């Protein structure tokens, strides 16, 4: 009787779609045992590598325990996943420059930078639906673990006028 432990690797994109990474998958060596022996899936050695990419995966599941049968090969499959997250940005006509939308691997650091056009002023910085104006730390996502959306809202600056009034006393001859 024999069995093997297989290792399957997947990338989960920001929309939750899974793609198998064939280059990283490992078909384990054949292990021999006795007919009727039980092999616990929890005892199978994990091989958490990302051979082709060096990416870090997390173990997310194992098939169940097996009982060896001389009639055929049994398998235990360990599944690993690497998650990706997206940071999207949005700015209005008063935003001169803004970090473009980008996808990050789980655990990476992400940040958003922006600049306001001359003649405009910042109204608000909205991160994931929350007003974070004045909180510059809100534009940095350390060890990213979820999708984020950043919206920059501006308005035209109001012209500032200063009127100085000067008063003079003038005598009847026109002297000040």
């Amino acid at each position: 009787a024999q069995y093997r432990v297989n290792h399957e690797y997947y990338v989960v994109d920001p929309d939750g779609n899974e793609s198998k990474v064939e280059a990283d998958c490992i078909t384990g060596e054949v292990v021999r045992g006795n007919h009727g022996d039980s092999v616990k899936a929890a005892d199978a050695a994990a091989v958490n590598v990302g051979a082709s990419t060096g990416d870090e995966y997390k173990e997310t599941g194992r098939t169940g325990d097996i009982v060896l049968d001389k009639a055929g090969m049994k398998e235990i499959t360990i599944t690993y996943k690497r998650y990706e997250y997206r940071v999207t940005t949005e700015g209005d006509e008063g935003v001169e420059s803004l970090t473009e939308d980008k996808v990050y691997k789980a655990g990476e650091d992400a940040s958003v930078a922006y600049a306001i056009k001359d003649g405009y002023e910042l109204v608000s910085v909205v991160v994931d639906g929350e007003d974070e104006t004045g909180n510059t730390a809100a534009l940095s996502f350390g060890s990213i673990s979820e999708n984020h959306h950043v919206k920059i809202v501006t308005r035209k600056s109001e012209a500032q006028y200063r009127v100085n009034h000067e008063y003079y006393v003038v005598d009847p001859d026109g002297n000040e």
Side-chain angles (χ1 to χ4, degrees), residues 3-154:
Y3 73 99
R4 75 171 126 234
V5 179
N6 299 317
H7 304 270
E8 294 183 353
Y9 294 85
Y10 295 85
V11 171
V12 181
D13 72 18
D15 299 318
N17 302 311
E18 294 183 10
S19 300
K20 191 173 187 179
V21 184
E22 294 291 347
D24 288 346
C25 293
I26 299 169
T27 300
E29 299 287 323
V30 173
V31 178
R32 297 203 182 282
N34 295 316
H35 176 76
D37 284 354
S38 252
V39 179
K40 295 191 177 297
D43 294 339
V47 180
N48 194 350
V49 296
S52 69
T53 59
D55 292 330
E56 184 177 328
Y57 293 87
K58 291 184 179 184
E59 183 180 323
T60 59
R62 292 174 180 239
T63 55
D65 298 344
I66 57 174
V67 175
L68 299 183
D69 183 344
K70 63 183 174 187
M73 173 74 68
K74 296 288 187 159
E75 295 182 332
I76 294 173
T77 300
I78 303 175
T79 304
Y80 307 85
K81 294 181 182 175
R82 177 177 57 80
Y83 293 86
E84 295 178 333
Y85 300 100
R86 182 182 298 117
V87 175
T88 56
T89 57
E90 175 185 357
D92 59 24
E93 71 279 350
V95 177
E96 183 171 345
S97 65
L98 180 61
T99 302
E100 293 184 16
D101 295 357
K102 186 174 176 184
V103 173
Y104 297 87
K105 294 175 187 172
E108 287 185 322
D109 294 337
S111 63
V112 173
Y114 66 92
I116 305 297
K117 290 179 183 176
D118 287 339
Y120 286 84
E121 60 188 9
L122 180 67
V123 172
S124 64
V125 175
V126 179
V127 179
D128 300 331
E130 298 290 324
D131 189 342
E132 296 288 351
T133 308
N135 181 6
T136 56
L139 296 176
S140 295
F141 309 101
S143 193
I144 196 165
S145 61
E146 62 184 328
N147 293 330
H148 294 284
H149 181 73
V150 176
K151 181 178 181 179
I152 308 298
V153 179
T154 64

